[in-house]
Amino acid sequence: MLNKEHIDYFKNIVGEENVKADKAHLIAYCYDATKERFEPDAVVFPRDEQDISKVLKYCNEHKIVIVPRGAGSGFTGGALPSNGGIILSLERHMNKLLEIDMENMVGVVQPGLINMEFQKAVEEVGLFYPPDPASEEYSTLGGNVSENAGGMRAAKYGITKDYVVALRAVLPNGEIISAGKKTIKDVAGYNTAGILIASEGTLAVITEITLKLIPKPKFKQTYMGVFPDVNTAMNAVFKSLAAGANPVAMEFLDALVIKALKQKFPNIELPENAGGILVGDVDGSSQAEIDSQIETLKEAFAKYGSIGFIEAKDEEEGKKLWFARRNASPATAIYGTKKLNEDISVPRAKLPEALDAIYAIGEKYGFNVPCFGHAGDGNIHVNVMVKDKNNEKEMHDGHKAIEEIFQMVCDMGGTLSGEHGIGLSKAPFMNIAFTDAEIELFKSIKKAFDPNNILNPFKMGLV
């Protein structure tokens, strides 16, 4: 528990206006998208890297817990102060675009910069930063790196880790380190940046990020493939990619999601006979490249069972095709009062088998389980819909269904999370995905970075 002496010391470091311990601030920083609530003892807004270094050094000496936080938009409780302590919020001051290096095609940012703001800034000079999590309008780049965020463009362009060139970070003892260089090649020493990516703020506090940029594609077109059922659509995913298709995105909606969309949005333009849908974009440097990609998709989809293919004639038509995917999550609320939403990921060729197993588990417990997500990279958003969240048995069965889904996914070579991370909510299931030896290795890495366990403790199942 913090005392007045601790609070006064933090005010000395960062300024009185950047330390808050009033009830309003403690409530404002006690939750994330999980809706779980854990109040911190104080919120500190560091102004720069030196502030962070001094705060961490003091907390390490006095065994005070620190939880780094960006926008607090995570779905697994990774930025929640589950054991009290300090929220170290990087959103107020550490939010600047430091450099766009046109010659080396990289951007240098502070961790509190919003993803979408960075995308817009680099596109204004003809460059492109592909990672686009659904939270891109409010999630921070530091949070994206800490969770290794993905997005709809991952099918073609990959995820956050594929664009992190270098990092600066502060260790729990206050020491400042650099990991990586602006160079394209760097094989000197351990890949420290790689260890910090997806570490969920448990190893160090990231203070600066250097991100790879690529030329902005000049042309883009949206498509929609219509299938009689979701299994046919899932087969078409990996087979069309193997045939040479290279879409930016390939998102899917199953029959339950399509039904929910039609009920929630009566005027939505969706094919009447659709039992499964694939929607996405293709992009390129010329219209000829776009036309070739669309034709490849159209032919592959037809070969593998599609009953329709729609090409957007312009950007406005493209937005209409994307409307269904962007509103899939809220539409599923028709099936229950509580959504147990998980973001499992499987090898793409396992998508049909995984969905069959998910629906069978839902049927076993009596739940509708609408699914949608990023078929192009094997990432499924599974939604176990509990009809009555106040019914203890239903909630218990819902969590049992999720556990069985996790086990099934890991058995087929998949993973607990493709985007959201582990945090608090998935920590109990780490033993499903990893062996005892692997978990002990994670714990030893945590101890090497943070021997006093002050930095975001108890996340990811690590103590």
Side-chain angles (χ1 to χ4, degrees), residues 7-27:
I7 297 289
D8 288 344
Y9 187 85
F10 296 135
K11 288 179 178 178
N12 247 0
I13 295 173
V14 302
E16 186 169 351
E17 70 280 8
N18 290 314
V19 179
K20 303 294 181 183
D22 58 285
K23 193 66 174 177
H25 276 85
L26 301 188
I27 291 174

Side-chain angles (χ1 to χ4, degrees), residues 122-150:
V122 300
E123 287 183 25
E124 284 177 5
V125 296
L127 296 176
F128 186 41
Y129 178 67
D132 62 334
S135 58
E136 63 185 355
E137 293 184 1
Y138 46 87
S139 67
T140 64
L141 290 164
N144 293 170
V145 171
S146 295
E147 298 291 344
N148 196 15

Side-chain angles (χ1 to χ4, degrees), residues 76-395:
T76 59
L80 295 182
S82 57
N83 294 83
I86 293 171
I87 286 285
L88 192 72
S89 177
L90 304 172
E91 62 181 336
R92 180 178 289 184
H93 303 297
M94 302 282 290
N95 58 5
K96 299 174 184 64
L97 170 56
L98 300 177
E99 180 187 12
I100 299 176
D101 182 341
M102 299 292 291
E103 287 79 12
N104 291 301
M105 294 181 69
V106 297
V108 183
V109 304
Q110 292 181 319
L113 182 65
I114 301 299
N115 179 297
M116 180 60 80
E117 291 180 12
F118 182 58
Q119 288 190 50
K120 289 178 178 176
V122 300
E123 287 183 25
E124 284 177 5
V125 296
L127 296 176
F128 186 41
Y129 178 67
D132 62 334
S135 58
E136 63 185 355
E137 293 184 1
Y138 46 87
S139 67
T140 64
L141 290 164
N144 293 170
V145 171
S146 295
E147 298 291 344
N148 196 15
M152 295 187 185
R153 295 195 286 244
K156 179 175 181 178
Y157 290 112
I159 57 180
T160 300
K161 71 178 176 64
D162 301 309
Y163 294 86
V164 177
V165 175
L167 297 171
R168 284 179 65 86
V170 182
L171 299 175
N173 64 5
E175 292 180 1
I176 298 168
I177 63 168
S178 294
K181 309 288 181 186
K182 276 187 180 181
T183 57
I184 294 171
K185 293 181 177 180
D186 178 11
V187 295
Y190 290 123
N191 183 6
T192 310
I195 294 173
L196 294 180
I197 296 165
S199 65
E200 302 191 18
T202 62
L203 303 180
V205 177
I206 295 168
T207 57
E208 184 180 290
I209 311 163
T210 302
L211 296 165
K212 179 177 73 173
L213 303 173
I214 62 176
K216 182 182 176 183
K218 294 181 173 62
F219 297 87
K220 184 178 77 171
Q221 186 172 355
T222 301
Y223 67 89
M224 177 181 283
V226 184
F227 296 83
D229 55 71
V230 74
N231 262 35
T232 306
M234 293 300 97
N235 271 296
V237 171
F238 64 93
K239 290 178 179 176
S240 62
L241 294 174
N246 190 23
V248 177
M250 188 180 281
E251 302 290 300
F252 84 95
L253 307 174
D254 73 1
L256 284 169
V257 174
I258 294 167
K259 177 183 175 182
L261 284 162
K262 288 179 177 178
Q263 184 171 323
K264 184 83 172 176
F265 307 101
N267 297 323
I268 194 170
E269 296 179 14
L270 283 176
E272 284 300 318
N273 54 350
I277 284 173
L278 296 177
V279 62
D281 294 325
V282 296
D283 69 5
S285 57
S286 68
Q287 187 58 48
E289 189 178 348
I290 296 294
D291 293 342
S292 174
Q293 280 292 310
I294 288 289
E295 192 59 32
T296 299
L297 280 168
K298 187 176 182 179
E299 289 178 2
F301 283 6
K303 182 177 179 180
Y304 297 113
S306 71
I307 54 176
F309 190 87
I310 302 168
E311 303 172 41
K313 294 182 175 62
D314 52 36
E315 189 175 348
E316 201 57 39
E317 279 196 16
K319 287 179 181 177
K320 288 181 180 178
L321 294 182
W322 271 110
F323 181 87
R325 171 62 183 89
R326 296 193 186 282
N327 289 277
S329 184
T332 58
I334 71 166
Y335 294 115
T337 61
K338 177 67 175 179
K339 176 193 298 188
L340 302 178
N341 168 29
E342 299 297 345
D343 66 318
I344 56 92
S345 191
V346 298
R348 285 186 297 221
K350 294 283 189 179
L351 282 167
E353 181 184 342
L355 282 171
D356 279 345
I358 288 166
Y359 298 138
I361 292 168
E363 189 175 342
K364 172 182 174 181
Y365 288 100
F367 296 119
N368 283 309
V369 188
C371 295
F372 58 88
H374 318 301
D377 54 42
N379 189 189
I380 305 171
H381 289 288
V382 175
N383 304 275
V384 173
M385 304 303 299
V386 178
K387 291 177 184 176
D388 181 4
K389 64 183 178 182
N390 297 313
N391 184 311
E392 286 187 21
K393 184 180 185 307
E394 280 195 40
M395 287 298 296

